[in-house]
Coordinates of all heavy atoms in Angstrom, one line a residue:
M1 N -30.7 -204.1 -237.4 CA -31.6 -204.2 -238.5 C -31.0 -205.0 -239.6 O -29.9 -204.8 -240.0 CB -31.9 -202.7 -239.0 CG -33.0 -202.7 -240.0 SD -33.7 -201.1 -240.1 CE -33.5 -200.8 -241.8
K2 N -31.8 -206.0 -240.1 CA -31.3 -206.8 -241.2 C -31.3 -206.1 -242.5 O -32.1 -205.2 -242.8 CB -32.3 -208.0 -241.3 CG -32.1 -209.1 -240.3 CD -33.0 -210.3 -240.7 CE -32.9 -211.3 -239.6 NZ -33.9 -212.4 -240.0
T3 N -30.4 -206.5 -243.3 CA -30.3 -206.0 -244.7 C -31.3 -206.8 -245.6 O -31.7 -207.8 -245.2 CB -28.9 -206.1 -245.3 OG1 -28.6 -207.5 -245.4 CG2 -27.9 -205.3 -244.4
C4 N -31.6 -206.2 -246.7 CA -32.5 -206.9 -247.7 C -31.9 -208.3 -248.1 O -32.5 -209.3 -248.2 CB -32.8 -206.1 -248.9 SG -33.8 -204.7 -248.6
K5 N -30.6 -208.3 -248.2 CA -29.8 -209.5 -248.6 C -30.0 -210.5 -247.5 O -30.3 -211.7 -247.8 CB -28.4 -209.2 -248.8 CG -27.6 -210.4 -249.3 CD -26.1 -210.2 -249.4 CE -25.8 -209.5 -250.7 NZ -24.3 -209.4 -251.0
A6 N -29.9 -210.1 -246.2 CA -30.1 -211.0 -245.1 C -31.5 -211.6 -245.1 O -31.7 -212.8 -244.7 CB -29.7 -210.4 -243.8
Y7 N -32.5 -210.7 -245.3 CA -33.9 -211.2 -245.3 C -34.1 -212.3 -246.4 O -34.7 -213.3 -246.1 CB -34.8 -210.0 -245.6 CG -35.3 -209.3 -244.4 CD1 -34.8 -208.0 -244.1 CD2 -36.2 -209.9 -243.5 CE1 -35.2 -207.3 -243.0 CE2 -36.6 -209.2 -242.4 CZ -36.2 -207.9 -242.1 OH -36.6 -207.2 -241.0
L8 N -33.6 -212.0 -247.6 CA -33.7 -213.0 -248.6 C -33.0 -214.3 -248.3 O -33.6 -215.4 -248.5 CB -33.3 -212.5 -250.0 CG -33.4 -213.4 -251.2 CD1 -34.9 -213.8 -251.3 CD2 -32.9 -212.8 -252.4
M9 N -31.8 -214.2 -247.9 CA -31.1 -215.4 -247.5 C -31.8 -216.2 -246.4 O -31.8 -217.4 -246.5 CB -29.6 -215.1 -247.1 CG -28.8 -214.6 -248.3 SD -27.1 -214.2 -247.8 CE -26.4 -215.9 -247.5
N10 N -32.3 -215.5 -245.4 CA -33.0 -216.2 -244.3 C -34.3 -216.9 -244.8 O -34.6 -218.0 -244.5 CB -33.3 -215.2 -243.3 CG -33.7 -215.8 -242.0 OD1 -33.2 -216.8 -241.5 ND2 -34.7 -215.2 -241.3
Y11 N -35.0 -216.2 -245.7 CA -36.2 -216.8 -246.3 C -35.9 -218.1 -247.1 O -36.5 -219.1 -246.9 CB -36.9 -215.8 -247.2 CG -38.1 -216.4 -248.0 CD1 -39.3 -216.5 -247.4 CD2 -37.9 -216.9 -249.2 CE1 -40.4 -217.1 -248.1 CE2 -38.9 -217.5 -249.9 CZ -40.2 -217.6 -249.3 OH -41.2 -218.2 -250.0
L12 N -34.9 -218.0 -247.9 CA -34.5 -219.1 -248.7 C -34.1 -220.3 -247.9 O -34.4 -221.5 -248.2 CB -33.3 -218.8 -249.7 CG -33.7 -217.7 -250.8 CD1 -32.4 -217.3 -251.5 CD2 -34.7 -218.4 -251.8
Q13 N -33.4 -220.0 -246.8 CA -33.0 -221.1 -245.9 C -34.2 -221.7 -245.1 O -34.4 -222.9 -245.1 CB -32.0 -220.6 -244.9 CG -31.5 -221.7 -244.0 CD -30.5 -221.1 -242.9 OE1 -30.5 -220.0 -242.6 NE2 -29.7 -222.0 -242.3
K14 N -35.0 -220.8 -244.5 CA -36.1 -221.3 -243.7 C -37.3 -221.9 -244.5 O -37.8 -222.9 -244.2 CB -36.6 -220.2 -242.8 CG -35.8 -219.9 -241.7 CD -36.4 -218.8 -240.8 CE -35.6 -218.5 -239.6 NZ -36.3 -217.5 -238.7
E15 N -37.7 -221.2 -245.6 CA -38.9 -221.5 -246.3 C -38.7 -222.5 -247.5 O -39.5 -223.2 -247.9 CB -39.6 -220.3 -246.8 CG -40.0 -219.3 -245.6 CD -41.0 -219.9 -244.6 OE1 -41.9 -220.7 -245.0 OE2 -40.9 -219.6 -243.4
C16 N -37.4 -222.4 -248.0 CA -37.2 -223.2 -249.3 C -36.1 -224.3 -249.0 O -35.8 -225.0 -250.0 CB -36.7 -222.3 -250.4 SG -37.9 -221.0 -250.7
A17 N -35.6 -224.3 -247.8 CA -34.4 -225.3 -247.5 C -33.3 -225.1 -248.5 O -32.7 -226.1 -248.9 CB -35.0 -226.7 -247.5
L18 N -33.0 -223.9 -248.9 CA -31.9 -223.6 -249.8 C -30.7 -223.0 -249.0 O -30.9 -221.9 -248.4 CB -32.3 -222.7 -250.9 CG -33.3 -223.2 -251.9 CD1 -33.8 -222.1 -252.8 CD2 -32.8 -224.4 -252.8
E19 N -29.6 -223.6 -249.1 CA -28.4 -222.9 -248.5 C -27.7 -222.2 -249.6 O -27.2 -222.7 -250.6 CB -27.4 -224.0 -248.0 CG -28.0 -224.8 -246.7 CD -28.2 -223.8 -245.5 OE1 -27.4 -222.9 -245.4 OE2 -29.1 -224.0 -244.8
V20 N -27.7 -220.9 -249.5 CA -27.2 -220.0 -250.5 C -26.0 -219.2 -250.0 O -26.0 -218.7 -248.9 CB -28.3 -219.0 -250.9 CG1 -27.8 -218.0 -252.0 CG2 -29.6 -219.7 -251.4
N21 N -25.0 -219.2 -250.8 CA -23.8 -218.4 -250.5 C -24.1 -217.0 -250.8 O -24.7 -216.6 -251.8 CB -22.6 -218.9 -251.4 CG -21.3 -218.2 -251.1 OD1 -21.2 -217.0 -251.0 ND2 -20.3 -219.0 -251.0
E22 N -23.6 -216.1 -249.9 CA -23.8 -214.6 -250.1 C -23.4 -214.1 -251.5 O -24.0 -213.2 -252.0 CB -23.1 -213.9 -249.0 CG -23.5 -212.4 -248.9 CD -22.9 -211.8 -247.7 OE1 -22.5 -212.4 -246.7 OE2 -22.9 -210.5 -247.7
K23 N -22.4 -214.7 -252.0 CA -21.9 -214.3 -253.4 C -22.8 -214.7 -254.5 O -22.7 -214.2 -255.6 CB -20.5 -214.9 -253.6 CG -19.4 -214.4 -252.7 CD -18.1 -215.0 -253.0 CE -17.1 -214.5 -252.1 NZ -15.8 -215.1 -252.2
E24 N -23.8 -215.6 -254.2 CA -24.8 -216.0 -255.3 C -26.0 -215.0 -255.3 O -26.9 -215.1 -256.1 CB -25.3 -217.4 -254.9 CG -24.3 -218.5 -255.0 CD -24.8 -219.8 -254.6 OE1 -24.9 -220.0 -253.4 OE2 -25.2 -220.6 -255.5
I25 N -26.0 -214.0 -254.4 CA -27.1 -213.1 -254.3 C -26.7 -211.8 -255.1 O -25.7 -211.2 -254.8 CB -27.5 -212.7 -252.8 CG1 -27.8 -214.0 -252.0 CG2 -28.5 -211.6 -252.7 CD1 -29.1 -214.6 -252.3
G26 N -27.5 -211.4 -256.0 CA -27.4 -210.2 -256.7 C -28.1 -209.0 -256.0 O -29.1 -209.3 -255.4
I27 N -27.5 -207.8 -256.1 CA -28.1 -206.7 -255.4 C -27.9 -205.4 -256.2 O -26.8 -205.2 -256.9 CB -27.5 -206.5 -254.0 CG1 -28.2 -205.5 -253.2 CG2 -26.0 -206.3 -254.0 CD1 -27.9 -205.4 -251.7
E28 N -28.9 -204.6 -256.2 CA -28.8 -203.2 -256.8 C -29.8 -202.3 -256.1 O -30.8 -202.7 -255.6 CB -29.0 -203.2 -258.3 CG -30.5 -203.4 -258.7 CD -30.7 -203.3 -260.3 OE1 -29.9 -202.5 -260.9 OE2 -31.5 -204.0 -260.8
T29 N -29.4 -201.1 -256.1 CA -30.3 -200.0 -255.5 C -30.4 -198.9 -256.5 O -29.5 -198.5 -257.2 CB -29.6 -199.4 -254.2 OG1 -29.4 -200.5 -253.3 CG2 -30.5 -198.4 -253.6
V30 N -31.7 -198.5 -256.8 CA -32.0 -197.5 -257.7 C -33.1 -196.6 -257.1 O -33.8 -197.0 -256.2 CB -32.6 -198.1 -259.1 CG1 -31.5 -198.9 -259.8 CG2 -33.8 -198.9 -258.8
E31 N -33.1 -195.4 -257.7 CA -34.2 -194.5 -257.3 C -35.2 -194.3 -258.4 O -34.7 -194.1 -259.5 CB -33.6 -193.1 -256.9 CG -34.6 -192.1 -256.5 CD -34.1 -190.8 -256.1 OE1 -32.9 -190.5 -256.2 OE2 -34.9 -189.9 -255.6
L32 N -36.4 -194.6 -258.2 CA -37.5 -194.5 -259.2 C -38.6 -193.6 -258.7 O -38.9 -193.5 -257.5 CB -38.0 -195.9 -259.5 CG -37.1 -196.9 -260.1 CD1 -37.7 -198.2 -260.2 CD2 -36.6 -196.4 -261.5
E33 N -39.2 -193.0 -259.7 CA -40.5 -192.3 -259.4 C -41.6 -193.3 -259.2 O -41.5 -194.4 -259.7 CB -40.9 -191.3 -260.5 CG -39.8 -190.2 -260.7 CD -39.7 -189.3 -259.6 OE1 -40.6 -188.9 -259.0 OE2 -38.5 -189.1 -259.2
K34 N -42.6 -193.0 -258.3 CA -43.6 -193.9 -258.0 C -44.3 -194.4 -259.3 O -44.6 -195.6 -259.4 CB -44.7 -193.2 -257.1 CG -45.8 -194.1 -256.7 CD -46.7 -193.4 -255.8 CE -47.9 -194.2 -255.3 NZ -48.7 -193.5 -254.3
E35 N -44.5 -193.6 -260.3 CA -45.1 -194.0 -261.5 C -44.3 -195.0 -262.3 O -44.8 -195.7 -263.2 CB -45.4 -192.8 -262.4 CG -46.2 -191.7 -261.9 CD -45.4 -190.7 -261.0 OE1 -44.3 -190.4 -261.3 OE2 -45.9 -190.4 -259.9
E36 N -43.0 -195.1 -262.0 CA -42.2 -196.1 -262.7 C -42.3 -197.5 -262.1 O -41.8 -198.5 -262.6 CB -40.7 -195.6 -262.7 CG -40.4 -194.4 -263.4 CD -39.0 -193.9 -263.4 OE1 -38.7 -193.3 -262.3 OE2 -38.3 -194.2 -264.3
L37 N -42.8 -197.6 -260.9 CA -43.0 -198.9 -260.2 C -44.1 -199.7 -260.8 O -45.1 -199.2 -261.3 CB -43.2 -198.7 -258.7 CG -42.1 -197.9 -257.9 CD1 -42.6 -197.7 -256.5 CD2 -40.8 -198.7 -258.0
D38 N -44.0 -201.0 -260.7 CA -45.1 -201.9 -261.2 C -46.1 -202.0 -260.1 O -45.9 -202.8 -259.0 CB -44.5 -203.3 -261.5 CG -45.4 -204.1 -262.3 OD1 -46.7 -203.9 -262.2 OD2 -45.0 -205.0 -263.1
K39 N -47.2 -201.4 -260.2 CA -48.3 -201.3 -259.2 C -48.8 -202.7 -258.8 O -49.3 -202.9 -257.7 CB -49.4 -200.4 -259.7 CG -50.4 -200.1 -258.6 CD -51.5 -199.1 -259.2 CE -52.5 -198.7 -258.1 NZ -53.4 -197.7 -258.6
R40 N -48.8 -203.7 -259.7 CA -49.4 -205.0 -259.4 C -48.7 -205.7 -258.2 O -49.2 -206.6 -257.7 CB -49.3 -205.8 -260.7 CG -48.0 -206.3 -261.1 CD -48.1 -207.0 -262.4 NE -46.7 -207.2 -263.0 CZ -46.2 -208.4 -263.3 NH1 -46.9 -209.5 -263.1 NH2 -45.0 -208.4 -263.8
Y41 N -47.5 -205.3 -257.8 CA -46.8 -205.9 -256.8 C -47.1 -205.4 -255.4 O -46.7 -205.9 -254.4 CB -45.3 -205.8 -257.0 CG -44.8 -206.6 -258.2 CD1 -44.0 -206.0 -259.1 CD2 -45.2 -207.9 -258.4 CE1 -43.5 -206.7 -260.2 CE2 -44.7 -208.6 -259.5 CZ -43.9 -208.0 -260.4 OH -43.5 -208.7 -261.5
F42 N -47.9 -204.3 -255.4 CA -48.3 -203.6 -254.1 C -49.8 -203.8 -253.8 O -50.6 -203.8 -254.7 CB -48.0 -202.2 -254.2 CG -46.5 -201.9 -254.4 CD1 -46.0 -201.8 -255.7 CD2 -45.7 -201.6 -253.4 CE1 -44.7 -201.5 -255.9 CE2 -44.3 -201.4 -253.6 CZ -43.8 -201.3 -254.8
T43 N -50.1 -203.9 -252.5 CA -51.5 -203.8 -252.1 C -51.9 -202.3 -252.2 O -51.0 -201.4 -252.3 CB -51.7 -204.2 -250.6 OG1 -51.0 -203.3 -249.8 CG2 -51.1 -205.6 -250.3
E44 N -53.2 -202.1 -252.2 CA -53.7 -200.7 -252.3 C -53.1 -199.8 -251.2 O -52.7 -198.7 -251.3 CB -55.2 -200.6 -252.3 CG -55.8 -201.0 -253.6 CD -55.4 -200.1 -254.7 OE1 -55.3 -198.9 -254.6 OE2 -55.1 -200.6 -255.9
E45 N -53.1 -200.4 -249.9 CA -52.5 -199.7 -248.8 C -51.1 -199.3 -249.0 O -50.6 -198.2 -248.7 CB -52.7 -200.5 -247.5 CG -52.2 -199.8 -246.3 CD -52.3 -200.7 -245.0 OE1 -53.2 -201.6 -245.0 OE2 -51.5 -200.6 -244.1
E46 N -50.3 -200.3 -249.4 CA -48.9 -200.0 -249.7 C -48.7 -198.9 -250.7 O -47.9 -198.0 -250.5 CB -48.1 -201.3 -250.1 CG -48.1 -202.3 -249.0 CD -47.7 -203.7 -249.6 OE1 -47.7 -204.0 -250.8 OE2 -47.3 -204.6 -248.8
W47 N -49.4 -199.1 -251.8 CA -49.2 -198.1 -252.9 C -49.6 -196.7 -252.5 O -48.8 -195.8 -252.8 CB -50.1 -198.6 -254.1 CG -50.0 -197.7 -255.3 CD1 -50.8 -196.7 -255.8 CD2 -48.9 -197.8 -256.2 NE1 -50.2 -196.1 -256.9 CE2 -49.1 -196.8 -257.2 CE3 -47.7 -198.5 -256.3 CZ2 -48.2 -196.6 -258.3 CZ3 -46.8 -198.3 -257.4 CH2 -47.1 -197.3 -258.3
S48 N -50.7 -196.5 -251.8 CA -51.1 -195.2 -251.4 C -50.1 -194.5 -250.4 O -50.1 -193.3 -250.3 CB -52.5 -195.3 -250.8 OG -52.5 -196.0 -249.6
S49 N -49.3 -195.3 -249.7 CA -48.5 -194.7 -248.7 C -47.0 -194.5 -249.3 O -46.2 -193.9 -248.6 CB -48.3 -195.6 -247.5 OG -47.6 -196.8 -247.9
L50 N -46.8 -194.9 -250.6 CA -45.5 -194.6 -251.2 C -45.2 -193.2 -251.5 O -46.2 -192.5 -251.9 CB -45.2 -195.5 -252.4 CG -45.2 -197.0 -252.3 CD1 -45.2 -197.6 -253.6 CD2 -44.0 -197.4 -251.4
P51 N -44.0 -192.7 -251.3 CA -43.8 -191.3 -251.6 C -43.6 -191.2 -253.2 O -43.5 -192.2 -253.8 CB -42.4 -191.0 -250.9 CG -41.8 -192.3 -250.8 CD -42.9 -193.3 -250.6
A52 N -43.5 -189.9 -253.7 CA -43.4 -189.7 -255.1 C -42.1 -190.3 -255.7 O -42.1 -190.7 -256.8 CB -43.5 -188.2 -255.4
S53 N -41.1 -190.3 -254.9 CA -39.8 -190.8 -255.3 C -39.3 -191.9 -254.3 O -39.4 -191.7 -253.1 CB -38.8 -189.7 -255.4 OG -37.5 -190.2 -255.8
C54 N -38.9 -193.1 -254.8 CA -38.6 -194.2 -253.9 C -37.2 -194.7 -254.2 O -36.8 -194.9 -255.3 CB -39.6 -195.3 -254.2 SG -41.3 -195.0 -253.8
L55 N -36.5 -195.0 -253.1 CA -35.2 -195.7 -253.3 C -35.5 -197.2 -253.1 O -36.1 -197.6 -252.1 CB -34.2 -195.2 -252.2 CG -32.8 -195.6 -252.3 CD1 -32.2 -195.1 -253.6 CD2 -32.0 -195.1 -251.1
I56 N -35.1 -198.0 -254.1 CA -35.5 -199.4 -254.1 C -34.2 -200.2 -254.0 O -33.3 -200.0 -254.9 CB -36.3 -199.8 -255.3 CG1 -37.6 -199.0 -255.3 CG2 -36.5 -201.3 -255.3 CD1 -37.8 -198.3 -256.5
T57 N -34.1 -201.1 -253.1 CA -33.0 -202.1 -253.1 C -33.6 -203.4 -253.5 O -34.5 -203.9 -252.9 CB -32.4 -202.2 -251.7 OG1 -31.8 -201.0 -251.4 CG2 -31.3 -203.3 -251.7
S58 N -33.0 -204.0 -254.5 CA -33.5 -205.3 -255.1 C -32.4 -206.3 -255.0 O -31.3 -206.1 -255.5 CB -33.9 -205.1 -256.6 OG -34.4 -206.3 -257.1
V59 N -32.7 -207.4 -254.4 CA -31.8 -208.5 -254.2 C -32.5 -209.8 -254.9 O -33.7 -209.9 -254.8 CB -31.4 -208.8 -252.7 CG1 -30.6 -207.6 -252.1 CG2 -32.6 -209.1 -251.9
N60 N -31.6 -210.6 -255.5 CA -32.2 -211.7 -256.2 C -31.3 -212.9 -256.1 O -30.1 -212.8 -256.0 CB -32.6 -211.4 -257.6 CG -31.4 -210.9 -258.4 OD1 -30.5 -211.8 -258.7 ND2 -31.4 -209.7 -258.8
Y61 N -31.9 -214.1 -256.3 CA -31.2 -215.4 -256.4 C -31.9 -216.2 -257.4 O -33.1 -216.4 -257.4 CB -31.3 -216.1 -255.0 CG -30.8 -217.5 -255.0 CD1 -29.4 -217.8 -255.2 CD2 -31.7 -218.5 -255.0 CE1 -29.0 -219.0 -255.3 CE2 -31.2 -219.9 -255.1 CZ -29.9 -220.1 -255.2 OH -29.4 -221.4 -255.3
D62 N -31.1 -216.7 -258.3 CA -31.6 -217.6 -259.4 C -30.9 -218.9 -259.3 O -29.7 -219.0 -259.5 CB -31.4 -216.9 -260.7 CG -32.0 -217.7 -261.9 OD1 -32.4 -218.8 -261.7 OD2 -32.1 -217.1 -263.0
N63 N -31.7 -220.0 -259.0 CA -31.0 -221.3 -259.0 C -31.2 -222.1 -260.2 O -30.9 -223.3 -260.2 CB -31.6 -222.1 -257.8 CG -33.0 -222.5 -257.9 OD1 -33.7 -222.3 -258.9 ND2 -33.6 -223.0 -256.8
G64 N -31.6 -221.5 -261.3 CA -31.8 -222.1 -262.6 C -33.1 -222.7 -262.8 O -33.6 -222.9 -264.0
R65 N -33.9 -222.8 -261.8 CA -35.3 -223.3 -261.8 C -36.2 -222.2 -261.4 O -37.3 -221.9 -262.0 CB -35.5 -224.5 -261.0 CG -36.8 -225.2 -261.1 CD -37.0 -226.3 -260.1 NE -36.8 -225.8 -258.7 CZ -36.4 -226.5 -257.7 NH1 -36.2 -227.7 -257.8 NH2 -36.2 -225.9 -256.5
D66 N -35.8 -221.5 -260.3 CA -36.7 -220.4 -259.7 C -35.9 -219.2 -259.5 O -34.7 -219.3 -259.2 CB -37.3 -220.9 -258.4 CG -38.2 -222.0 -258.6 OD1 -39.2 -221.9 -259.4 OD2 -38.1 -223.0 -257.8
M67 N -36.5 -218.0 -259.7 CA -35.9 -216.7 -259.5 C -36.6 -216.1 -258.3 O -37.8 -215.9 -258.3 CB -36.0 -215.9 -260.7 CG -35.6 -214.4 -260.4 SD -33.8 -214.3 -260.2 CE -33.4 -213.2 -261.5
Y68 N -35.8 -215.8 -257.3 CA -36.4 -215.1 -256.1 C -35.9 -213.7 -256.0 O -34.7 -213.5 -256.2 CB -36.0 -215.9 -254.8 CG -36.5 -217.3 -254.7 CD1 -35.7 -218.4 -255.2 CD2 -37.7 -217.5 -254.0 CE1 -36.2 -219.6 -255.1 CE2 -38.2 -218.8 -253.9 CZ -37.5 -219.9 -254.5 OH -37.9 -221.2 -254.4
T69 N -36.8 -212.8 -255.9 CA -36.4 -211.4 -255.8 C -37.1 -210.7 -254.6 O -38.3 -210.9 -254.4 CB -36.9 -210.6 -257.1 OG1 -36.3 -211.3 -258.2 CG2 -36.4 -209.2 -257.0
L70 N -36.3 -210.0 -253.8 CA -36.8 -209.3 -252.7 C -36.6 -207.8 -253.0 O -35.5 -207.4 -253.2 CB -36.2 -209.6 -251.4 CG -36.6 -208.9 -250.1 CD1 -38.1 -209.1 -249.9 CD2 -35.8 -209.2 -248.9
N71 N -37.7 -207.0 -253.2 CA -37.6 -205.6 -253.4 C -37.9 -204.9 -252.1 O -39.0 -205.0 -251.5 CB -38.6 -205.1 -254.5 CG -38.2 -205.7 -255.8 OD1 -37.0 -205.6 -256.2 ND2 -39.1 -206.3 -256.5
C72 N -37.0 -204.1 -251.6 CA -37.2 -203.3 -250.4 C -37.5 -201.9 -250.8 O -36.6 -201.2 -251.4 CB -35.9 -203.4 -249.5 SG -35.6 -205.0 -248.9
V73 N -38.7 -201.5 -250.6 CA -39.2 -200.2 -251.1 C -39.9 -199.5 -250.0 O -40.9 -200.0 -249.4 CB -40.3 -200.4 -252.2 CG1 -40.7 -199.1 -252.8 CG2 -39.8 -201.3 -253.3
H74 N -39.3 -198.3 -249.6 CA -39.9 -197.6 -248.5 C -39.8 -198.4 -247.3 O -38.7 -198.9 -247.0 CB -41.3 -197.1 -248.9 CG -41.9 -196.0 -248.1 ND1 -41.1 -194.8 -247.7 CD2 -43.1 -195.8 -247.5 CE1 -41.8 -194.0 -247.0 NE2 -43.0 -194.6 -246.9
Q75 N -40.9 -198.7 -246.6 CA -40.9 -199.6 -245.4 C -41.3 -201.1 -245.8 O -41.5 -201.9 -244.9 CB -41.6 -199.1 -244.3 CG -43.2 -199.2 -244.4 CD -43.9 -198.0 -244.9 OE1 -43.3 -197.1 -245.5 NE2 -45.1 -197.8 -244.5
Y76 N -41.5 -201.3 -247.0 CA -42.1 -202.6 -247.5 C -41.0 -203.5 -248.1 O -40.1 -203.1 -248.6 CB -43.2 -202.4 -248.5 CG -44.3 -201.5 -248.0 CD1 -44.5 -200.2 -248.5 CD2 -45.1 -201.9 -246.9 CE1 -45.4 -199.4 -248.0 CE2 -46.1 -201.1 -246.4 CZ -46.3 -199.8 -246.9 OH -47.2 -199.0 -246.5
K77 N -41.3 -204.8 -247.8 CA -40.4 -205.9 -248.4 C -41.4 -206.7 -249.3 O -42.2 -207.4 -248.8 CB -39.8 -206.7 -247.4 CG -38.8 -205.9 -246.6 CD -38.2 -206.7 -245.4 CE -37.3 -205.9 -244.6 NZ -37.9 -204.8 -243.9
I78 N -41.2 -206.6 -250.6 CA -42.0 -207.3 -251.6 C -41.2 -208.5 -252.1 O -40.2 -208.3 -252.8 CB -42.4 -206.4 -252.8 CG1 -42.9 -205.0 -252.3 CG2 -43.3 -207.1 -253.7 CD1 -44.2 -205.1 -251.5
L79 N -41.7 -209.7 -251.8 CA -40.9 -210.9 -252.2 C -41.6 -211.6 -253.4 O -42.9 -211.7 -253.4 CB -40.9 -211.9 -251.0 CG -40.3 -213.3 -251.3 CD1 -38.8 -213.1 -251.6 CD2 -40.4 -214.2 -250.1
L80 N -40.8 -211.8 -254.4 CA -41.3 -212.4 -255.6 C -40.7 -213.8 -255.9 O -39.5 -213.9 -255.6 CB -41.1 -211.5 -256.8 CG -41.5 -210.1 -256.7 CD1 -41.0 -209.3 -257.9 CD2 -43.1 -210.0 -256.6
K81 N -41.4 -214.7 -256.4 CA -40.8 -216.0 -257.0 C -41.3 -216.1 -258.4 O -42.5 -216.1 -258.6 CB -41.3 -217.2 -256.1 CG -40.8 -218.5 -256.6 CD -41.3 -219.6 -255.8 CE -40.8 -221.0 -256.4 NZ -41.4 -222.1 -255.7
N82 N -40.4 -216.1 -259.3 CA -40.7 -216.2 -260.7 C -41.7 -215.1 -261.1 O -42.7 -215.3 -261.8 CB -41.2 -217.5 -261.1 CG -40.2 -218.6 -260.8 OD1 -39.0 -218.4 -260.9 ND2 -40.7 -219.8 -260.4
D83 N -41.5 -213.9 -260.6 CA -42.2 -212.7 -260.9 C -43.6 -212.6 -260.3 O -44.5 -211.9 -260.8 CB -42.3 -212.5 -262.4 CG -42.3 -211.0 -262.8 OD1 -41.8 -210.2 -262.1 OD2 -42.9 -210.7 -263.9
E84 N -43.9 -213.6 -259.4 CA -45.3 -213.5 -258.7 C -45.0 -213.3 -257.2 O -44.1 -213.8 -256.6 CB -45.9 -214.9 -258.9 CG -46.3 -215.3 -260.2 CD -47.4 -214.4 -260.8 OE1 -48.3 -214.0 -260.1 OE2 -47.3 -214.1 -262.0
R85 N -45.8 -212.4 -256.6 CA -45.7 -212.0 -255.3 C -45.9 -213.2 -254.3 O -46.9 -214.0 -254.5 CB -46.6 -210.8 -254.9 CG -46.3 -210.3 -253.5 CD -47.0 -209.0 -253.2 NE -46.7 -208.7 -251.8 CZ -46.9 -207.5 -251.2 NH1 -47.4 -206.6 -252.0 NH2 -46.7 -207.3 -250.0
I86 N -45.1 -213.4 -253.3 CA -45.3 -214.4 -252.3 C -45.6 -213.7 -251.0 O -45.0 -212.7 -250.6 CB -43.9 -215.2 -252.1 CG1 -43.6 -215.9 -253.3 CG2 -44.1 -216.1 -250.9 CD1 -42.2 -216.6 -253.2
E87 N -46.7 -214.1 -250.4 CA -47.1 -213.5 -249.1 C -46.2 -214.2 -248.0 O -46.1 -215.4 -247.9 CB -48.6 -213.8 -248.8 CG -49.5 -213.0 -249.8 CD -49.3 -211.5 -249.8 OE1 -49.0 -210.9 -248.8 OE2 -49.3 -210.9 -250.9
W88 N -45.6 -213.4 -247.2 CA -44.8 -213.8 -246.1 C -44.7 -212.8 -245.0 O -45.0 -211.6 -245.3 CB -43.4 -214.2 -246.6 CG -42.6 -213.0 -247.1 CD1 -42.9 -212.1 -248.0 CD2 -41.3 -212.6 -246.6 NE1 -41.9 -211.2 -248.2 CE2 -41.0 -211.4 -247.3 CE3 -40.5 -213.1 -245.6 CZ2 -39.8 -210.8 -247.1 CZ3 -39.2 -212.5 -245.4 CH2 -38.9 -211.3 -246.1
N89 N -44.3 -213.2 -243.9 CA -44.2 -212.2 -242.7 C -42.7 -211.9 -242.6 O -42.0 -212.7 -242.0 CB -44.8 -212.8 -241.5 CG -44.8 -211.8 -240.4 OD1 -44.1 -210.7 -240.4 ND2 -45.5 -212.1 -239.3
S90 N -42.3 -210.8 -243.1 CA -40.9 -210.4 -243.1 C -40.4 -210.2 -241.6 O -39.2 -210.2 -241.4 CB -40.6 -209.2 -243.9 OG -41.2 -208.0 -243.4
R91 N -41.3 -209.9 -240.7 CA -40.9 -209.7 -239.3 C -40.4 -211.0 -238.7 O -39.7 -211.0 -237.7 CB -42.0 -209.1 -238.5 CG -42.3 -207.7 -239.0 CD -43.3 -207.0 -238.2 NE -43.5 -205.7 -238.7 CZ -44.7 -205.1 -238.9 NH1 -45.8 -205.8 -238.7 NH2 -44.8 -203.9 -239.4
E92 N -40.9 -212.1 -239.2 CA -40.5 -213.4 -238.7 C -39.2 -213.9 -239.3 O -38.7 -214.9 -238.9 CB -41.6 -214.4 -238.8 CG -42.9 -214.1 -238.0 CD -44.0 -215.1 -238.2 OE1 -43.8 -216.1 -238.9 OE2 -45.1 -214.9 -237.7
N93 N -38.8 -213.4 -240.4 CA -37.6 -213.8 -241.1 C -36.5 -212.9 -240.9 O -36.5 -211.8 -240.7 CB -37.9 -214.0 -242.6 CG -38.9 -215.1 -242.9 OD1 -38.5 -216.2 -242.7 ND2 -40.1 -214.8 -243.2

């Protein structure tokens, strides 16, 4: 099973043609209550299936022009570019 960091690095390489060193990727894991999450990043289906308390791993890469963030929440991978959700198929990456 791939880590969130590996998913983001793979996405950046395949979709953005960016070769990123693993040390350039920031990572943190936090536990938040569902009410503390930003609902705008989730579809209705995703939001309704989240538990009351979520462990979130957030990985990010900032190249000075664009900020890419991958939030792994529950069974979902929410990819953002400059704070806007990007639709992608994480199973292919």
